[in-house]
């Protein structure tokens, strides 16, 4: 057990190193000039060459990527992730505030995708080849091939512009100051969370459907049918316990899809979370902030995959024993 934990910690540390270095490398290879991008073209054109050099030196714009990364890494080990060029605040503070805003959105969409996908998958598998099964499969196939940002744009036009059921965007009303009630924040979050959960619903529903078909074709289910039990009793008494864990395991393993989709959804709905901050940092050549966001999202995805592996071992003991053998 201790060796397994040690290997997990080592993999996490290597992942953080690789993500941070690759992010620095990509930002350094970008043609975006961070000085010009952050001060604006008009102000940059009016600046003297000496002032431009001062800003470039202050922001390490002309420093080689490897040297800049090693300097950042030395500070990061001590807990200093640097200062955001775009927000003029410590990276840790910006990431913390934006993550707090995105956490509720990500959690809500994750729960909706898992719950709705599980119900649709069980219903589709239990009523195989029925009109409901064909409808669920068609819904899943279409959504799996549809870009998330396109769904967000359609939802924004239909439910916010034409019908007026939801606000046009943002996490709070425009112009509001001070504390905002939680109900208002939830109202602004409903539409982005529903859009973000749609593709996750498709994955869970299709997986649960196949698992439901396998369970209903097992020997113990046939024995239950021979005793006169109905389909509803079989699904809830015998099948549900074998379907929840696989669906939950898949949910944890697709955390990366939820996090990746949130970048596009937050941009469409102008939702002030990690996704929108990542786009702002990328367009402004803000390497410290972009690295901080990349590390936060990579840690979240790593945690989701680790929990998925633990659940795999709980669902299938043979997989757990095979993992333990690899550790030895």
């Amino acid at each position: 057990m201790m060796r397994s934990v040690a290997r997990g910690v080592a993999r996490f540390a290597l992942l953080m190193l690789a993500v941070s270095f690759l992010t620095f490398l990509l930002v350094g290879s970008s043609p975006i000039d961070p000085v010009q991008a952050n001060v604006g073209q008009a102000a940059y054109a009016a600046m003297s060459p000496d002032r431009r050099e001062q800003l470039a030196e202050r922001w390490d714009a002309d420093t080689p990527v490897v040297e800049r990364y090693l300097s950042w890494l030395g500070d990061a080990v001590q807990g200093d992730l640097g200062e955001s060029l775009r927000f003029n605040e410590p990276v840790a503070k910006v990431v913390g505030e934006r993550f707090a805003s995105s956490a509720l959105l990500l959690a809500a969409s994750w729960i909706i995708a898992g719950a709705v996908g599980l119900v649709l998958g069980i219903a589709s598998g239990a009523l195989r080849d029925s009109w409901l099964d064909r409808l669920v499969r068609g819904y899943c196939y279409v959504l799996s091939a549809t870009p998330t940002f396109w769904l967000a744009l359609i939802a924004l036009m239909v439910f916010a512009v034409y019908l007026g059921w939801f606000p046009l965007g943002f996490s709070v009303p425009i112009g509001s100051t001070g504390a905002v009630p939680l109900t208002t924040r939830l109202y602004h979050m409903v539409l982005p969370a529903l859009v973000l959960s749609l593709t996750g619903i498709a994955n869970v529903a299709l997986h649960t459907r196949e698992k439901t078909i396998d369970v209903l074709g097992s020997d113990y289910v046939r024995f239950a049918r021979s005793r006169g039990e109905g389909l509803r009793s079989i699904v809830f008494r015998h099948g549900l316990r074998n379907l929840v864990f696989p669906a939950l395991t898949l949910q944890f393993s697709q955390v990366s899809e939820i996090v990746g989709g949130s970048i596009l959804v937050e941009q469409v709905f102008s939702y002030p979370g990690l996704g929108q901050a990542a786009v702002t940092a990328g367009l402004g050549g803000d390497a410290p902030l972009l690295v901080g966001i990349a590390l936060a999202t990579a840690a979240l995805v790593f945690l989701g995959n680790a929990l998925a592996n633990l659940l795999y071992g709980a669902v299938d003991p043979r997989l757990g024993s095979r993992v333990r053998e690899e550790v030895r």
Side-chain angles (χ1 to χ4, degrees):
M1 182 63 182
M2 293 300 297
R3 294 179 64 182
S4 177
V5 172
R7 289 188 62 175
V9 172
R11 288 176 180 175
F12 178 75
L14 290 176
L15 175 65
M16 295 294 101
L17 284 174
V19 168
S20 59
F21 178 72
L22 288 176
T23 305
F24 260 97
L25 186 63
L26 291 174
V27 175
S29 302
S30 172
I32 297 176
D33 182 3
V35 177
Q36 183 176 357
N38 287 282
V39 302
Q41 292 185 356
Y44 184 81
M47 278 184 185
S48 64
D50 293 338
R51 180 57 177 168
R52 295 178 186 177
E53 291 181 3
Q54 291 176 359
L55 289 176
E57 182 179 357
R58 180 175 180 270
W59 290 342
D60 293 331
D62 297 331
T63 306
V65 176
V66 176
E67 183 180 344
R68 195 190 321 168
Y69 173 72
L70 293 176
S71 176
W72 173 89
L73 184 61
D75 294 334
V77 172
Q78 302 176 15
D80 183 10
L81 297 179
E83 184 173 334
S84 170
L85 311 181
R86 201 72 169 178
F87 295 92
N88 293 321
E89 290 181 334
V91 169
K93 180 180 178 181
V94 177
V95 172
E97 292 176 350
R98 292 304 180 107
F99 182 77
S101 181
S102 292
L104 190 59
L105 174 63
L106 294 174
S109 59
W110 186 81
I111 292 173
I112 293 172
V116 177
L118 178 65
V119 173
L120 291 180
I122 293 176
S124 179
L127 302 175
R128 185 180 182 182
D129 296 330
S130 65
W131 65 268
L132 179 61
D133 181 30
R134 291 192 292 270
L135 182 62
V136 171
R137 280 185 295 162
Y139 159 82
C140 294
Y141 294 149
V142 170
L143 283 186
S144 297
T146 304
T148 306
F149 73 89
W150 187 82
L151 289 175
L153 289 173
I154 296 299
L156 187 65
M157 288 189 296
V158 173
F159 297 104
V161 177
Y162 295 139
L163 298 178
W165 293 353
F166 299 100
L168 291 175
F170 305 100
S171 60
V172 295
I174 300 175
S176 60
T177 58
V180 177
L182 179 60
T183 54
T184 303
R185 292 184 178 273
L186 292 177
Y187 175 59
H188 280 255
M189 187 198 67
V190 170
L191 193 57
L194 289 176
V195 172
L196 188 56
S197 68
L198 288 178
T199 53
I201 290 174
N203 295 333
V204 176
L206 290 175
H207 180 272
T208 305
R209 175 185 180 274
E210 297 301 320
K211 189 66 177 178
T212 302
I213 293 174
D214 292 340
V215 169
L216 294 181
S218 60
D219 293 336
Y220 66 88
V221 169
R222 286 198 293 267
F223 177 72
R225 291 182 185 274
S226 67
R227 293 189 306 173
E229 289 193 43
L231 179 61
R232 181 176 180 179
S233 176
I234 290 174
V235 170
F236 283 97
R237 293 184 57 187
H238 305 288
L240 194 59
R241 69 184 69 178
N242 296 315
L243 298 174
V244 172
F245 266 115
L248 188 59
T249 303
L250 179 64
Q251 268 293 90
F252 280 113
S253 64
Q254 68 173 9
V255 169
S256 59
E257 298 183 12
I258 296 291
V259 173
S262 67
I263 296 177
L264 300 175
V265 171
E266 288 181 5
Q267 192 66 15
V268 172
F269 287 97
S270 299
Y271 198 87
L274 277 180
Q276 191 182 57
V279 174
T280 302
L283 295 177
D286 193 346
L289 179 56
L290 202 57
V291 171
I293 295 174
L295 291 178
T297 54
L300 186 61
V301 172
F302 182 88
L303 177 62
N305 290 332
L307 292 175
N309 290 333
L310 291 176
L311 285 175
Y312 272 128
V315 173
D316 191 349
R318 295 172 299 178
L319 180 61
S321 63
R322 187 159 61 246
V323 171
R324 287 191 293 270
E325 290 177 0
E326 293 178 358
V327 172
R328 295 193 188 99

